[in-house]
Amino acid sequence: MGRELPVLGAGGAPGHPSAPGLPSIAMAGALDGPDGATAPGAGDTLRVRRHPDWLKATMPAGEAVRDLRHLLRGLNLNTVCEEARCPNLGECWDQRTATVMILGDVCTRACGFCAIKTGRPAWFDPDEPRRVAEAVAAMGLDHVVITSVARDDLPDGGASIFADTIRELRGRCPGMGVEVLIPDFNGQAAPLRAVMEAGPDILNHNVETVERLQQPVRRRARYDRSLGVLAQAKADARELGHEVHTKSSIMVGLGEEREELLTTFRDLRAVDCDILTLGQYLRPTIDHLPLVRYYHPDEFADLRSAALAMGFRHVESGPLVRSSYHARDQVPGAELRALRRRATIGSDGRVEPGASV
């Protein structure tokens, strides 16, 4: 059953209107209290309120957004950008980047933070990898992220569709960076191996939160299992002779302590995780976990510095950062590709015909 998002008007906090000419998304998700935290004794009533000034996202609009939505709809494809109500949809789609979600839009798990529908999936289409590759080729991307709902109903958790999608993308878009954001496949080695044999550039699996909060946040997942997925991905890649960068993401604002976050960083580095993303948890609906507090941008900067000091190759840290945010800029060679993009983008914002980015 889907969960409905409370409808709020656009704009900033009372007394802090949005910048002229720049619409924003007012994202619901917290009970009234200090800094948007859950107020003691407030009960479980979701009140209309505004986020801090630093939490502003542009509304999804413009020609690029319309083109991308039309293309994806025409090929019957889903994006996690829409299904998870990502606050960065407007920015990313305007840059003609998106995270494609395979294996349908119904998840077999009901994580306490996630807005994606849960239930018994009926979707399975072996032709989906071809259609994904067709869409990505039409978008002219130089880096793509493929993710999925959890499909515990399938014997391999959907790993074969991940692998086929990677191969189709390699065939249609040689040289393009391919990132996959995978579920844990219930800790099974064979499905993960199948994905690694297809040769992704980045293998992304999220721990989401600190070890103490795993049960309420990810009811059917385990902290040690997620660390094991990241460790095994690196081991498989070495055995297969593939270079792969592993990546994970953490939400803050669920009641974790700073030292717990630092311990999680160390645990990720202990399994040689290369890339870390940190973002603010925003409660999608009253049915989801309450927000405990907002982190200030200065705190995100501090956490980024701490993580980089531990040896992560790249850390993306900020209030609106999500797992796939700025993904194309997180891999080796990204700066060179960015220069090529700037050299081949026309005045109308489109890639020049015949250009290779």
Side-chain angles (χ1 to χ4, degrees), residues 45-346:
T45 303
L46 188 66
R47 298 172 183 161
V48 175
R49 65 170 309 283
R50 303 299 183 190
H51 294 298
D53 289 346
W54 59 82
L55 278 166
K56 298 287 177 62
T58 58
M59 292 289 285
E63 184 177 356
V65 172
R66 290 192 298 271
D67 288 349
L68 185 52
R69 180 172 282 126
H70 178 74
L71 174 64
L72 293 166
R73 293 292 177 276
L75 291 169
N76 195 24
L77 298 174
N78 300 299
T79 69
V80 76
C81 319
E82 295 173 290
E83 298 297 331
R85 298 164 181 164
C86 179
N88 302 307
L89 188 152
E91 176 186 350
C92 295
W93 282 31
D94 189 57
Q95 297 176 10
R96 302 188 68 83
T97 65
T99 299
V100 179
M101 188 170 73
I102 60 176
L103 295 165
D105 63 353
V106 178
C107 186
T108 55
R109 302 186 183 184
C111 295
F113 65 92
C114 185
I116 292 175
K117 296 189 293 290
T118 62
R120 297 180 179 178
W123 174 273
F124 186 82
D125 182 3
D127 187 52
E128 189 174 37
R130 179 196 62 79
R131 291 184 288 105
V132 169
E134 182 180 336
V136 170
M139 284 187 274
L141 306 182
D142 61 354
H143 185 83
V144 64
V145 182
I146 305 297
T147 190
S148 79
V149 291
R151 291 296 302 267
D152 297 310
D153 59 308
L154 300 176
D156 70 347
S160 60
I161 298 298
F162 267 105
D164 289 346
T165 301
I166 295 169
R167 294 188 180 98
E168 287 282 352
L169 289 167
R170 294 297 190 206
R172 286 179 177 261
C173 311
M176 181 185 64
V178 177
E179 176 176 339
V180 289
L181 171 54
I182 63 169
D184 61 18
F185 299 130
N186 286 307
Q188 298 179 74
L192 177 59
R193 177 76 173 202
V195 173
M196 298 309 299
E197 286 175 346
D201 296 299
I202 295 180
L203 189 289
N204 187 350
H205 176 68
N206 295 335
V207 296
E208 304 292 6
T209 188
V210 300
E211 185 172 14
R212 176 176 58 87
L213 297 176
Q214 290 287 310
Q215 200 283 325
V217 174
R218 312 164 70 212
R219 298 183 186 95
R220 293 182 60 182
R222 295 206 317 261
Y223 186 74
D224 58 342
R225 180 189 292 168
S226 289
L227 292 175
V229 167
L230 294 166
Q232 190 59 48
K234 275 293 181 75
D236 285 346
R238 285 193 297 269
E239 185 177 334
L240 293 164
H242 296 164
E243 181 182 8
V244 68
H245 297 279
T246 50
K247 176 178 175 180
S248 197
S249 183
I250 300 172
M251 299 172 292
V252 298
L254 287 162
E256 68 289 325
E257 300 293 335
R258 185 177 188 277
E259 188 52 46
E260 290 180 301
L261 286 170
L262 297 180
T263 296
T264 306
F265 296 174
R266 295 185 193 102
D267 290 343
L268 288 169
R269 285 299 302 133
V271 294
D272 199 22
C273 182
D274 301 294
I275 302 167
L276 176 66
T277 61
L278 300 167
Q280 174 72 55
Y281 169 64
L282 298 172
R283 191 183 194 188
T285 77
I286 194 172
D287 296 323
H288 293 82
L289 291 171
L291 170 70
V292 175
R293 78 174 182 92
Y294 290 107
Y295 279 58
H296 189 273
D298 290 347
E299 293 180 274
F300 281 104
D302 173 65
L303 290 169
R304 179 178 184 273
S305 296
L308 287 171
M310 294 182 191
F312 286 98
R313 295 192 182 197
H314 184 92
V315 178
E316 196 81 33
S317 180
L320 292 180
V321 167
R322 297 298 181 263
S323 185
S324 302
Y325 187 57
H326 291 172
R328 69 181 183 183
D329 300 323
Q330 298 170 10
V331 293
E335 292 183 3
L336 177 59
R337 287 197 298 272
L339 288 172
R340 289 174 177 168
R341 278 198 302 274
R342 287 194 287 270
T344 55
I345 297 295

